[in-house]
Amino acid sequence: MKKKMSIRDLDFNNTGAWPREFKIGFCVLLALVIIGFVWWFWVTGKRDELATLDAQEASLRAEFETKQGRAANLEPLKQQLAQMEQQLQQMLRQLPSRTEMPDLIVDISQTALATGLQNKLFQPGSRRRRSSTRRSRSSCVWWAPITNSVRS
């Protein structure tokens, strides 16, 4: 009959003399400790990576929501742009053309004289290009500084 041993009776300097059950128990406990340390070190490294990826996900979500909002407004903005271009073309058609410009200057001078205004200076400036990249039939602007005085 075998006598029962307790943990206090085990000699840690001579583990080879331990009973088989204690050897297996000690090996399982040692394996669990090693697995626990490996798991802890591996998870600690992954936690930092996870935190970085969470921050990246949050920034990408915010960027996505911003771009999604812009994309949702794209069609109304395109319609608004088309409407503004139509209005611009309509306004450009209302401007006098190059051939109408001399008659317009004569009309302004005659109207000024008829109302009693005396033009000190009525000199159309040189034609200058607009900063717009679009070309139209009225792509030049006439500068005409006018100084008027009332006849006494």
Side-chain angles (χ1 to χ4, degrees):
M1 193 156 154
K2 289 185 177 181
K3 72 175 183 176
K4 287 190 162 190
M5 286 187 76
S6 72
I7 294 179
R8 291 183 190 149
D9 296 335
L10 295 177
D11 182 14
F12 285 95
N13 292 327
N14 188 10
T15 55
W18 289 6
R20 187 175 198 193
E21 297 85 25
F22 285 105
K23 286 181 186 177
I24 292 173
F26 181 73
C27 287
V28 168
L29 182 62
L30 186 62
L32 289 174
V33 168
I34 291 172
I35 289 172
F37 278 126
V38 169
W39 178 262
W40 186 76
F41 284 120
W42 185 72
V43 169
T44 302
K46 295 295 180 181
R47 283 184 194 160
D48 297 337
E49 184 180 343
L50 180 63
T52 304
L53 291 175
D54 282 341
Q56 183 181 5
E57 178 191 11
S59 68
L60 289 174
R61 279 188 187 272
E63 182 181 345
F64 172 76
E65 289 172 0
T66 302
K67 288 182 179 181
Q68 185 181 23
R70 286 183 191 163
N73 291 333
L74 184 61
E75 191 59 37
L77 289 174
K78 282 183 179 179
Q79 291 174 354
Q80 184 180 9
L81 177 64
Q83 182 182 12
M84 290 173 70
E85 285 178 348
Q86 283 180 337
Q87 290 174 350
L88 176 64
Q89 291 303 319
Q90 183 180 9
M91 288 180 191
L92 288 175
R93 283 192 294 272
Q94 293 174 356
L95 289 175
S97 66
R98 290 183 204 169
T99 58
E100 297 171 331
M101 194 59 79
D103 293 335
L104 181 63
I105 292 172
V106 169
D107 288 345
I108 291 172
S109 297
Q110 289 175 353
T111 304
L113 290 173
T115 58
L117 293 176
Q118 183 181 12
N119 294 329
K120 289 183 182 177
L121 175 66
F122 188 78
Q123 178 181 356
S126 63
R127 294 184 342 195
R128 298 183 185 175
R129 293 267 178 217
R130 289 190 219 168
S131 62
S132 175
T133 57
R134 297 182 186 266
R135 304 224 182 229
S136 64
R137 67 179 179 94
S138 302
S139 64
C140 297
V141 177
W142 289 85
W143 297 97
I146 301 174
T147 306
N148 292 327
S149 64
V150 178
R151 271 192 243 163
S152 307

